[in-house]
Amino acid sequence: FYTSPDLQTWTFQSRIEGFYECPDFFELPVDGVATNKKWVLTAASSDYMIGSFDGKTFTPETAKLPGNRGAGFYAAQTFTGDPKGRVVQIGWLQTETRGMPFNQAMSLPNQLSLRSTSDGPRLAWTPVDELKTLRVKSHDCGVAPLTPGAPNPLAKVSSELLELRATFTPPAKGEVKFTLRGIPVIYNTEQQVLSVNGHRAPAPLREGKIDLTVFTDRIAYEVFTAGGLTYVPLPCVPSATTLGAEVSVTGGDVTFEKLEVHELKSIWAKP
């Protein structure tokens, strides 16, 4: 840690081990309470520590904690001076971009927060609200229970770029399977694990329910669950001709509080 009055002359203040390249450092309120703030120091991997900072020395209050639960997400940095006072992060997404005039990509912009858990405050990721402006067609599939073998309630969905939002009570034993452009996103209740194209991540039930947000892109999926405490960015290239979505359940009924899919336009404005 260095300090400077003018961003030209720097004075060494302190050092902490275990953080090498592309760190980031920011303050967040716990559960949005302005009088209870903690500092967060992130590594290039997005693993992090929570602690206090006196302007010179960071004092950790946790061990290094796991950050994102996906793959190919590295060197994330936050914006300074967000007009809404948020801490918004974008990461380097190490994904295949074959045939493109650029190499790899950046993640979605995600708002960071600290949320209380039984183990203490933990970092959570939430897609920024501005992404809602990309929605061009929405499918609200209602809240009726879905039984094993029932017709697919997402049959009318067809787009390259999708945003799925679901809140549901899964069966006590079994799986709820979303297939988005041919890529499986599966929740296993007994294991309390979410699998995205075979990549597994912890996804604990919260009051017996699961909340799930999935963004599909041409070269990556980004998945959020457990109130954002589990964030799964994943390099993934679906077939260009597979545009549909479906959901099914095994082992019992699944009860949805929310099941909606939004077809999205490209984030790039056409000239």
Side-chain angles (χ1 to χ4, degrees):
F1 291 88
Y2 289 80
T3 58
S4 172
D6 57 9
L7 301 184
Q8 297 183 65
T9 303
W10 295 88
T11 302
F12 172 80
Q13 299 293 351
S14 64
R15 177 181 177 84
I16 185 169
E17 298 296 333
F19 293 82
Y20 304 102
E21 58 182 12
C22 309
D24 200 0
F25 193 50
F26 44 85
E27 191 178 28
L28 288 170
V30 179
D31 299 323
V33 179
T35 56
N36 182 20
K37 292 184 176 182
K38 298 290 184 181
W39 284 86
V40 181
L41 176 63
T42 60
S45 63
S46 85
D47 292 350
Y48 64 99
M49 286 182 175
I50 300 172
S52 60
F53 183 60
D54 62 7
K56 295 183 178 180
T57 302
F58 173 65
T59 303
E61 298 173 4
T62 67
K64 188 182 280 189
L65 302 168
N68 82 87
R69 298 292 188 149
F73 181 90
Y74 201 70
Q77 297 290 291
T78 54
F79 290 95
T80 297
D82 173 68
K84 297 181 180 179
R86 302 169 296 182
V87 176
V88 176
Q89 182 189 70
I90 290 183
W92 169 22
L93 202 52
Q94 300 165 320
T95 185
E96 179 182 343
T97 51
R98 188 179 304 173
M100 293 293 102
F102 52 83
N103 185 28
Q104 304 177 51
M106 308 304 291
S107 75
L108 294 175
N110 295 311
Q111 181 175 353
L112 302 183
S113 59
L114 283 176
R115 299 192 178 181
S116 294
T117 74
S118 58
D119 297 317
R122 294 293 184 264
L123 200 58
W125 288 257
T126 305
V128 296
D129 282 344
E130 287 86 344
L131 293 169
K132 294 176 182 177
T133 63
L134 299 176
R135 296 173 179 175
V136 292
K137 185 177 182 180
S138 297
H139 305 265
D140 189 338
C141 302
V143 294
L146 183 67
T147 60
N152 172 29
L154 305 181
K156 294 182 180 180
V157 175
S158 180
S159 179
E160 274 190 303
L161 311 176
L162 297 172
E163 172 194 351
L164 166 80
R165 291 188 182 257
T167 304
F168 56 91
T169 302
K173 295 184 178 181
E175 294 183 335
V176 181
K177 181 179 181 181
F178 299 86
T179 305
L180 302 173
R181 298 198 56 206
I183 302 298
V185 179
I186 303 171
Y187 184 71
N188 183 290
T189 310
E190 290 180 279
Q191 298 175 6
Q192 295 196 34
V193 164
L194 186 72
S195 170
V196 183
N197 203 29
H199 182 96
R200 293 162 57 87
L205 289 165
R206 305 170 77 222
E207 299 180 347
K209 302 174 184 178
I210 278 292
D211 57 278
L212 184 66
T213 299
V214 183
F215 281 81
T216 77
D217 206 340
R218 300 181 181 101
I219 54 173
Y221 281 41
E222 294 188 51
V223 181
F224 308 78
T225 190
L229 294 167
T230 298
Y231 168 46
V232 187
L234 195 69
C236 184
V237 183
S239 168
T241 59
T242 305
L243 303 179
E246 60 183 286
V247 58
S248 60
V249 60
T250 59
D253 296 355
V254 55
T255 303
F256 286 97
E257 258 183 40
K258 176 194 292 185
L259 178 58
E260 59 188 43
V261 179
H262 306 280
E263 300 179 18
L264 307 178
K265 64 182 178 181
S266 172
I267 202 167
W268 298 105
K270 295 182 179 180

